[in-house]
Amino acid sequence: MFKSVLIANRGEIACRIMHTAKRLGMRTIAVYSVADADALHVLEADEAHLLGPAPANESYLRADKILEIAQYAHADCIHPGYGFLSENAEFAEACEDAGIVFVGPTAAAIRAMGLKDAAKKLMVGAGVPVVPGYHGADQDPKALAKEAAKIGYPVLIKAVAGGGGKGMRRVDDAKDFEAALNGAIREGEKAFGNGHVLIEKYIEKPRHIEIQVFADSHGNVVHLFERDCSLQRRHQKVVEEAPAPGMPDALRDVMGKAAVDAAKAIDYRGAGTIEFIVDASKALTADGFFFMEMNTRLQVEHPVTEEITGQDLVAWQFAVAAGEELPLSQVHLEIEGHAVEVRLYAENPSRKFLPSTGTLHHLKFPEEDGFIRIETGVTEGDTVSVYYDPMLAKVIAWDATREKAIDRLVTALRELEVAGVKTNASFLAEAVDHTAFRAGDIDTGFIENHLSDLVPAETGPGAVEKALAVIGLLCLRQGVTELAAAETLEPESPWAALDGFRIGGIAHERMTFTGDHGFEARIRYDDGDVILGIDGEEFDVEGELDEDGLTVAIDGEHHTAGVHFMADRLVLMHQARTYELSFADPLAPELAAEVGGAGLAAPMPGKIISVLAKAGDRVKRGQAIVVLEAMKMEHTLAAPADITIETIGAGPGDQVAEGMMIVTFAGN
Ligand code: MV4
C-alpha cells in the first residue's frame, strides 16, 4: 500500500479522501490556493503546499505545479478526487511518466469515454444497449436531417464532446432541426473545440440511473449496484439515492452486467460509473434502459453506494492503484438498506438559485450517528467564495428502508443551522419530503415539475419564529443580565434582572423588530410566567439559550432553533429555514455592559472577533465598536452615546474576562 498521497483537490472530497488515506496509514499531502489557506483540507493534512492564486486555472488545474509539488513532497501517488484534473488524460499520463501513481483509470480509458460517439460505438460492440440514433462521421447537415427523420421526432442532438447537458438540443419538429443543429454545433465548438454531433431518439420522462463499477489490473470487474440521480437541476445532481426506487432485482442484474461489460470493453481500471437513461414512462424493464455516458472518476454521490454495501470506495481505489486485487468479488457484494444523499449548496433558491457568498458566521451540522453522515470541507467562520463550486456539504442518511432513510434525512436537514450565507436546505427538505418523491414517482423533470412546492414564495417569520426570536433575545439579555447581576452586590435583587420587573405590578415591556418582516412584541411578566403578545395572539412561553441553541416551550409546545446574534440583527434558524431579524431593542445598550459612560466592559467572558473603530474616533450612539464571541454567539459592544473613543484595550483574537474594560471614552 502507498505510504503517502497528494490529494489534488479541495473541499469535501479532499477531506473525505484524507480520512481514508489516514486510516490506511498514509502521509497526506494537501495542495491549496491562496483562498483556501485556512481551509479544512489544509488543516487536516499532514503537510500542505501552496499552488497559487484563487482562480482554479492558477491553482487546482495547474497540473505542472501539482506534479512539481508531488515530486518535491515524495508523494507515492496522486488522488485527483472529482472535477478539476480527475478526467484529464494528459495529467494521468504525466503522473505515470513522473513515476507517481495516478489513483484513477488509465489515460487510454479516459480518452475512450471522452467522446460520446466513440463511447457509443464501444458500447454497441460490447452489447450494451444504446439509445436508437445516429452517431456516424457524416456531419453534413442534410445527411443529419435525414437521420433525424429516420429516427423520428422528438430527437435529441448532442455534441459528441459534450457532457452534463452542454451542447444538447431537443427537436420536436423537422422545421426546427437546422437551427437546433447549428446551435449544438456552435456550443460544441465553443465549449469543447469540437462541433461534431450525434442524434438520438428523445426518451420521454427519463430517469437517470447509474451503475458503480470497479475493475482491477487482474481482470476482475464488479458492479456495486445502482444509484438513482434523477433529481437534478440544470444537469447538476441535487438528490441521489441507492438503490433506485422500484428497481426490479432482475433488471438490476441485467444493468449491472451491462455496466461490467462496458468496463471490460475498454479494459477499465479503478472506479467508474456507467450512466444510463431509463424510460420511466412505463415499468422498468430490460428494454427500457440505454447507455448515456461513462464517468471515469469517483462520483460526488459515491457515499450512497458505500452506505448500502458497507464498502469504502476510496480504499478500493488505493488498493487497485497499488496493483492489488478487488477487495470483494461480485457474489460477496449485497445491498443492505437504503441511502439518500443531498447536496447542501450556498445558494438562494428564492432567487433562481443564485450562488450566495459570504462568511459562515454560524454553521451547525446534525449529529453524525450510524444513520446520518456528513461530508464537508467547511467549518464555521470560513468564507464561501466565488472561485469554486459553492457546495457546503453532502448530507447522507441510511436506514433499513427508503422511507426511514427519508425520514432521517428530513429531520437532519431541519436541524441544520447555517447563518451568513443562504442555502438550499429548505428546498432539499421539501424535495425529499415531497409525496411524489416518497412515492418513488421520480424522473429528471421532478424538480422543474414540482418547483412551486419546493421553493414556496419567500414568506417572513410566522408566529412561532417571531416568538422564538423574542425569546432568544430575552434569553441573551437574561444571560448577560445574570452575568452582570453576579457582579452587583445583590445579584438576587429584582433590579438586577432585565425582566421589566416593576414593584407591586405586573411588569411588561415591548420589543420591536424592524425591516421587511418587522413586528412588535409585547412581553408580560406575571408571577414568573412570561406571556408574549404578537400579531394579536398571546403565548405562554419559557425557554433557555445555551451552546446548543434555543430550547423553547410555546403554549406547552416544544421548539428548538439556532440563533446567532450579529450587530443589531438576530439570525434565527428553524426548520431548515433562516430568518434575519433586525431588532431595535431599547435596552440594547445593556448588552454593552456600559460602565457609567466611562467605557465599555466585556459583558461576559469571550474572544474579540473584530474591532470596528480606533482610538480618537468620534462614534454615534449605537455604533458597533467591538464584536465579541461568547456562548458561540456574536455580541456587539456599541457606543452608548455620541462620544469619542479614548482607548481600545484589546484586539481580534484576544480573550477577555467578563467586566474587563475594553473601550474607554474621552470626556463627553
Ligand atoms: C437524453 C435524454 C432523453 N433522451 N438522451 C442530459 C445530459 C446528459 N446526461 C444526457 N441527458 C439526457 N439525455 C435521450 N436520448 C434526457 C437527458 C436529460 C437528462 C438525463 C439525465 C439526467 C438529467 C437529465 C436532464 C435533462 C435531460
Side-chain angles (χ1 to χ4, degrees):
M1 183 45 83
F2 303 113
K3 292 187 174 56
S4 60
V5 55
L6 183 150
I7 294 116
N9 215 302
R10 64 177 300 282
E12 69 90 14
I13 192 59
C15 296
R16 188 258 169 283
I17 292 164
M18 231 169 268
H19 295 156
T20 292
K22 283 174 183 272
R23 184 172 60 79
L24 298 175
M26 291 181 209
R27 174 168 56 94
T28 53
I29 303 157
V31 288
Y32 65 94
S33 72
V34 169
D36 282 340
D38 300 323
L40 196 55
H41 79 280
V42 174
L43 303 178
E44 291 195 341
D46 294 318
E47 62 181 88
H49 300 263
L50 178 66
L51 279 169
N57 60 4
E58 296 179 67
S59 51
Y60 298 101
L61 290 173
R62 282 285 307 275
D64 55 335
K65 187 79 177 157
I66 289 168
L67 272 171
E68 183 189 316
I69 292 168
Q71 287 167 313
Y72 170 78
H74 303 295
D76 287 344
C77 63
I78 293 178
H79 195 306
Y82 52 67
F84 294 127
L85 297 168
S86 62
E87 295 188 290
N88 183 310
E90 291 68 33
F91 180 63
E93 244 158 21
C95 292
E96 302 302 337
D97 294 348
I100 300 173
V101 174
F102 177 75
V103 181
T106 59
I110 295 174
R111 289 196 176 95
M113 288 295 106
L115 295 176
K116 287 185 187 313
D117 53 346
K120 279 187 79 169
K121 283 194 185 81
L122 277 163
M123 295 305 129
V124 169
V128 176
V130 297
V131 181
Y134 172 77
H135 45 267
D138 187 348
Q139 296 289 304
D140 172 61
K142 288 188 174 34
L144 290 171
K146 280 197 186 115
E147 292 296 343
K150 263 196 288 182
I151 294 165
Y153 289 94
V155 298
L156 204 58
I157 304 172
K158 292 182 180 178
V160 297
K166 279 214 180 95
M168 204 169 78
R169 295 287 190 282
R170 172 174 169 162
V171 188
D172 292 309
D173 188 296
K175 67 178 174 24
D176 306 322
F177 183 81
E178 187 179 359
L181 174 63
N182 294 335
I185 292 169
R186 260 196 321 274
E187 195 169 338
E189 281 167 346
K190 185 161 172 272
F192 315 105
N194 180 338
H196 280 208
V197 299
L198 57 81
I199 305 171
E200 294 178 345
K201 180 68 184 164
Y202 186 76
I203 308 294
E204 304 283 356
K205 201 172 164 48
R207 274 174 71 174
H208 172 124
I209 296 179
E210 58 188 37
I211 303 274
Q212 178 71 57
V213 294
F214 241 103
D216 63 20
S217 49
H218 305 273
N220 303 307
V221 188
V222 299
H223 71 83
L224 290 98
F225 313 114
E226 81 278 4
R227 295 186 286 260
D228 190 310
C229 309
S230 298
L231 267 67
Q232 304 190 9
R233 209 185 67 80
R234 295 192 181 160
H235 303 293
Q236 276 286 336
K237 295 166 184 167
V238 174
V239 182
E240 305 105 340
E241 63 180 304
M247 170 68 82
D249 290 345
L251 179 57
R252 172 175 295 119
D253 294 343
V254 170
M255 290 181 73
K257 180 182 180 312
V260 167
D261 291 346
K264 285 178 176 172
I266 58 169
D267 192 21
Y268 197 70
R269 196 189 71 204
T273 296
I274 312 293
E275 289 188 356
F276 293 102
I277 220 168
V278 177
D279 182 348
S281 62
K282 56 188 177 57
L284 302 187
T285 55
D287 65 355
F289 76 94
F290 309 94
F291 170 81
M292 198 156 50
E293 51 199 74
M294 179 175 187
N295 298 318
T296 54
R297 66 178 184 276
L298 185 68
Q299 307 265 108
V300 173
E301 59 269 24
H302 75 273
V304 295
T305 300
E306 294 187 318
E307 292 302 316
I308 66 165
T309 59
Q311 299 306 309
D312 176 338
L313 299 189
V314 172
W316 280 46
Q317 284 188 294
F318 283 126
V320 167
E324 296 170 20
E325 296 210 17
L326 290 179
L328 290 179
S329 58
Q330 194 68 57
V331 292
H332 295 114
L333 284 163
E334 56 187 30
I335 294 173
E336 186 183 355
H338 198 101
V340 187
E341 173 184 276
V342 291
R343 301 186 190 194
L344 178 71
Y345 267 80
E347 60 186 14
N348 187 350
S350 302
R351 294 190 57 199
K352 296 190 186 322
F353 295 87
L354 194 68
S356 176
T357 55
T359 302
L360 293 166
H361 289 296
H362 178 91
L363 179 63
K364 184 175 158 193
F365 289 118
E367 284 298 309
E368 285 193 276
D369 52 21
F371 299 97
I372 291 294
R373 171 178 166 181
I374 305 285
E375 294 291 345
T376 187
V378 297
T379 50
E380 188 167 288
D382 279 4
T383 301
V384 179
S385 72
V386 293
Y387 295 107
Y388 312 114
D389 182 272
M391 182 164 75
L392 298 175
K394 297 174 327 198
V395 182
I396 303 110
W398 176 90
D399 208 320
T401 66
R402 182 173 189 259
E403 183 186 7
K404 287 179 182 172
I406 291 172
D407 290 345
R408 287 188 184 277
L409 186 53
V410 172
T411 302
L413 287 168
R414 291 190 169 145
E415 286 169 358
L416 194 67
E417 293 174 12
V418 183
V421 295
K422 299 280 189 189
T423 76
N424 64 345
S426 175
F427 162 77
L428 295 171
E430 295 299 333
V432 297
D433 199 22
H434 196 283
T435 46
F437 181 79
R438 283 180 175 272
D441 179 11
I442 56 175
D443 62 71
T444 56
F446 183 94
I447 287 178
E448 190 181 345
N449 297 336
H450 297 289
L451 198 58
S452 57
D453 295 339
L454 309 184
V455 186
E458 219 180 17
T459 55
V464 169
E465 285 80 23
K466 290 175 179 176
L468 287 166
V470 172
I471 297 162
L473 209 49
L474 288 174
C475 290
L476 178 75
R477 276 193 350 213
Q478 193 63 32
V480 171
T481 311
E482 277 162 0
L483 279 166
E487 292 167 2
T488 65
L489 294 176
E490 301 161 24
E492 295 316 312
S493 151
W495 297 111
L498 262 179
D499 58 8
F501 179 79
R502 298 288 181 273
I503 293 279
I506 292 177
H508 58 84
E509 63 171 304
R510 288 180 184 284
M511 193 177 280
T512 306
F513 287 84
T514 58
D516 298 348
H517 304 301
F519 64 95
E520 186 167 85
R522 281 177 299 100
I523 304 128
R524 200 155 47 86
Y525 305 91
D526 181 357
D527 191 20
D529 290 338
V530 182
I531 299 103
L532 296 193
I534 297 173
D535 300 339
E537 287 188 81
E538 286 215 331
F539 309 96
D540 260 326
V541 299
E542 55 185 308
E544 63 178 18
L545 174 64
D546 63 19
E547 298 263 300
D548 294 331
L550 201 49
T551 307
V552 173
I554 301 174
D555 286 348
E557 197 172 290
H558 176 76
H559 295 272
T560 58
V563 281
H564 181 77
F565 297 91
M566 299 161 86
D568 62 350
R569 275 169 299 144
L570 177 152
V571 180
L572 181 79
M573 292 149 279
H574 180 245
Q575 295 290 322
R577 294 190 63 184
T578 300
Y579 307 86
E580 281 205 16
L581 299 161
S582 302
F583 55 85
D585 179 347
L587 295 174
E590 294 296 329
L591 293 182
E594 182 189 343
V595 181
L600 295 177
M604 59 183 85
K607 183 174 81 172
I608 305 288
I609 295 181
S610 56
V611 176
L612 308 169
K614 63 184 183 305
D617 281 1
R618 182 76 181 162
V619 291
K620 295 277 186 201
R621 182 184 187 286
Q623 182 177 338
I625 301 177
V626 173
V627 181
L628 184 70
E629 179 189 64
M631 288 170 63
K632 279 191 71 99
M633 285 168 284
E634 282 185 9
H635 309 276
T636 296
L637 306 189
D642 294 2
I643 201 162
T644 301
I645 295 174
E646 184 171 56
T647 63
I648 296 182
D654 290 348
Q655 291 292 344
V656 292
E658 64 196 32
M660 174 184 159
M661 186 74 87
I662 298 176
V663 182
T664 62
F665 298 120
N668 294 3

